[in-house]
Amino acid sequence: MKFNTISRVLLMLILFLGAISCKETTDNKIKTIVKETNFTVFNFDNKQELAAYNKLNLDHTHPNLLNPKISTTDYEIVIKSWTDLHQRIGNHLSKNAFHWEVKDSSIVIVHKIYFKPNGNIESYFFNILNDDITKEKKEQFALLISDFAKHNRIEFKSEESFAQCGKTKYVNN
C-alpha cells in the first residue's frame, strides 16, 4: 500500500504526538523530576544527554574542589563530605531495593556532581564502567539519583558554585 503525502504527514504527526504525550516513559519521568527540582542528570551512554552536558560546559562555571589551586585549606572537609554523600547515595539505592542485576561484585561509576553554593546538587553526570549494565538499569539509576537530589546535599558550602568528581565502587549484592 502506498501512502500519499498527506497520509505520511498525518502518520508522522500521530507518531510524534504519541511520543511526546506518553507520560510513563523514563525520559518523561526524568524530565518531570528535572522540572520539579531544577536538577539535571546526564548519562554518558545516552548520546543526547552527553551532547546536552557538553554544551553546558559546567566545568568552566563549577571549579573542582579538590583542585589544589582552588581549595587548599578545606581538603579534609571536602573529602569527608564527598564520602558521606556517596554513602548516602548507596543507602538510597538500598532503601529503594535497587539491584543492578549483573554478577559483578562491584559497580564502578565515574561521577561528576555540580553543586550550588549552598551544597544542593544542581547537575549529576555519570558513566557506569561495568559493561553488562543495561540501558534500563542506567535509566532507573538516573531516576533514583534525581529522587536523591531532591532531599540531599553535600555538607559543604562555598561562595560560588562548585563541582566534585571521582570514581566510586558500589558493592553489588
Side-chain angles (χ1 to χ4, degrees), residues 29-41 146:
K29 287 179 185 175
I30 291 172
K31 287 176 186 167
T32 300
I33 290 169
V34 168
K35 188 188 218 180
E36 290 173 5
T37 63
N38 197 24
F39 170 79
T40 312
V41 64
S146 294

Side-chain angles (χ1 to χ4, degrees), residues 62-79:
H62 295 71
N64 190 319
L65 285 179
L66 291 183
N67 180 340
K69 294 178 184 175
I70 297 167
S71 177
T72 53
T73 59
D74 298 328
Y75 185 80
E76 294 299 322
I77 296 168
V78 171
I79 292 294

Side-chain angles (χ1 to χ4, degrees), residues 8 16 38 57 71 79 103 110 120 138 149-150 156 172:
R8 285 184 183 159
F16 175 74
N38 197 24
N57 199 16
S71 177
I79 292 294
K103 293 181 181 182
V110 174
N120 286 342
K138 290 176 184 179
K150 282 192 240 181
F156 183 83
N172 185 29

Side-chain angles (χ1 to χ4, degrees), residues 43-52:
N43 176 355
F44 175 83
D45 290 333
N46 181 314
K47 298 309 171 204
Q48 285 182 315
E49 289 178 10
L50 182 59

Side-chain angles (χ1 to χ4, degrees), residues 26-27 30 43 134-143:
T26 301
D27 286 346
I30 291 172
N43 176 355
T134 65
K135 177 183 174 185
E136 292 76 21
K137 282 295 162 184
K138 290 176 184 179
E139 289 173 353
Q140 188 180 5
F141 175 75
L143 284 171

